Amino acid sequence: MVSKKMRMRGVAAAVAVLALGLAACSSDSDDTANDDTNATQDSGDGGDSGELIKVGFSQLGAESGWRTANTESVKASLTEENGIDLTFVDAQQKQENQIKALRDFIDQGVDVIAFSPVVQTGWDEVLQEIQDAEIPVVLVDRTVDTTVTDPYATWIGADFKSEGVKAGEWVKENYPDAKIFELQGTLGSGAQVDREAGFDETVGADKILGKASGNFTRAEGKAAMEAALQAYPDMNLLFTHNDDMGLGAIEAIEAAGKVPGKDIVIVSVDGVRDGLQALVDKKFNFVVECNPVFGDQILDAIKKVYAGEDVPKETIVVDATFDQTITQEEVDARPY
Ligand code: AHR
């Protein structure tokens, strides 16, 4: 979508070119007028001539090490030096805060809106308002489920379902008879819904004793695991939708007198430094990476969308996997 502002800039440039063309016709020897033509055509192109692109970015929160790394990457890329005038708002994992921020961005007349939606549904109204205001949307990390047609220009994030499948394949191969407990992320988020679907379909629903949400945080992961250890004394494998909840679960497992990584095998997603350290310490057994460092790709998408250039509907950030063969040196070299 080319924004209303972009179209107005196009009209203004065309009018200026026409006016200067007429001036040139009226005086063949007027070189100054030709110089002015170049100056006029160069203005207002959103970044190249020094004008900044106004971007409103609604981050969903600061719930995990992954999120902190993602925010740092976004802020490092969306800078004035890179042509961006950034307004960054943290929603503290509350959808109402995100909706308010998005409406504020519309009122402020930003050029592009970028946001990472805390859950998949509940965006219809505000996405329609953004579309009516003709502001292009760059969707970051998580996905939306909406009735609005063509709600965003492009989405950049990980394939959450494939992350769940990779975790499930490792479990199936190494612990085919595992009695599994699953720590879910924020219920209704793309990361929870798709990781769970990929994992459950791969290992088989009959292998899963129970599930509970830890909302992607360490504290809630610990509390959910404490309750699960009471409810499912036979559990011998934990699949956690992120490292932070798994790290909280380690505390609960140790407090219950069990050995994480041995009595209860732990399979996680993210690959932040603390999670990979838990592999070196033999408390985690397998980690599927979800790479949070894609600020430069977001920057590139914003510039293209603003310029009205073609962008792919989706860009998948590539993920690796890690097991206990990872070395301390590799963990120390991890940038987040
Ligand atoms: O949406 C990505 C997920 O959100 C990460 O796996 C998790 O750590 C974060 O909170």
Side-chain angles (χ1 to χ4, degrees):
M1 190 199 331
V2 178
S3 72
K4 198 184 275 175
K5 236 184 211 179
M6 282 290 294
R7 278 207 307 274
M8 290 313 291
R9 285 197 178 107
V11 170
V15 168
V17 169
L18 189 64
L20 286 160
L22 288 173
C25 286
S26 68
S27 166
D28 284 345
S29 61
D30 192 349
D31 289 345
T32 316
N34 288 334
D35 291 342
D36 284 351
T37 304
N38 292 335
T40 306
Q41 282 176 317
D42 277 352
S43 69
D45 59 359
D48 292 345
S49 64
E51 188 178 331
L52 301 176
I53 304 171
K54 284 180 74 176
V55 176
F57 191 106
S58 167
Q59 180 59 287
L60 69 88
E63 73 285 3
S64 62
W66 188 99
R67 189 65 52 196
T68 304
N70 182 250
T71 290
E72 281 169 8
S73 174
V74 166
K75 287 186 175 173
S77 297
L78 304 190
T79 60
E80 287 194 9
E81 296 74 52
N82 288 334
I84 306 295
D85 173 8
L86 175 67
T87 303
F88 182 94
V89 183
D90 176 344
Q92 299 176 330
Q93 281 189 291
K94 292 195 174 75
Q95 186 175 33
E96 63 266 32
N97 290 352
Q98 277 203 288
I99 291 175
K100 182 182 177 314
L102 297 177
R103 291 199 166 120
D104 287 347
F105 295 154
I106 297 173
D107 291 344
Q108 289 157 16
V110 299
D111 298 308
V112 179
I113 287 177
F115 82 110
S116 184
V118 62
V119 289
Q120 286 183 308
T121 57
W123 305 101
D124 298 352
E125 224 177 294
V126 73
L127 282 173
Q128 191 58 59
E129 290 166 26
I130 294 171
Q131 198 167 79
D132 291 345
E134 300 187 23
I135 301 172
V137 172
V138 172
L139 204 57
V140 173
D141 168 33
R142 297 186 188 168
T143 44
V144 288
D145 183 358
T146 176
T147 53
V148 175
T149 312
D150 211 11
Y152 54 89
T154 187
W155 165 73
I156 306 170
D159 182 341
F160 297 135
K161 181 147 190 198
S162 134
E163 291 171 349
V165 169
K166 284 181 197 165
E169 282 171 347
W170 187 87
V171 169
K172 224 172 142 184
E173 193 181 327
N174 294 282
Y175 296 92
D177 299 320
K179 297 185 176 71
I180 303 169
F181 176 70
E182 189 163 344
L183 260 179
Q184 303 154 297
T186 304
L187 294 177
S189 67
Q192 176 263 317
V193 172
D194 291 348
R195 283 175 188 162
E196 188 168 324
F199 181 81
D200 292 11
E201 282 167 23
T202 307
V203 297
D206 58 313
K207 295 282 187 305
I208 298 162
L209 300 181
K211 303 174 183 184
S213 175
N215 201 21
F216 282 126
T217 70
R218 212 174 275 216
E220 289 176 73
K222 181 180 175 189
M225 192 63 183
E226 281 166 355
L229 285 163
Q230 298 286 326
Y232 311 107
D234 290 348
M235 138 205 349
N236 57 16
L237 191 144
L238 167 68
F239 172 50
T240 170
H241 290 185
N242 84 341
D243 288 347
D244 283 80
M245 294 190 296
L247 293 164
I250 286 176
E251 293 176 32
I253 293 166
E254 288 175 337
K258 296 194 173 187
V259 181
K262 216 164 161 204
D263 296 333
I264 299 182
V265 168
I266 302 180
V267 176
S268 181
V269 184
D270 270 359
V272 295
R273 201 185 295 119
D274 287 354
L276 298 185
Q277 184 63 50
L279 278 177
V280 171
D281 298 341
K282 312 285 184 232
K283 295 182 178 186
F284 276 6
N285 302 72
F286 187 68
V287 174
V288 179
E289 182 184 42
C290 181
N291 188 344
V293 182
F294 52 95
D296 283 349
Q297 284 165 277
I298 298 169
L299 172 68
D300 186 54
I302 286 170
K303 288 193 160 181
K304 286 191 171 139
V305 161
Y306 177 75
E309 288 174 27
D310 283 345
V311 280
K313 204 68 199 166
E314 52 179 56
T315 303
I316 306 287
V317 179
V318 181
D319 297 327
T321 57
F322 305 95
D323 61 19
Q324 290 182 342
T325 59
I326 191 169
T327 64
Q328 186 65 57
E329 290 69 35
E330 287 172 272
V331 176
D332 292 343
R334 190 82 170 160
Y336 56 88

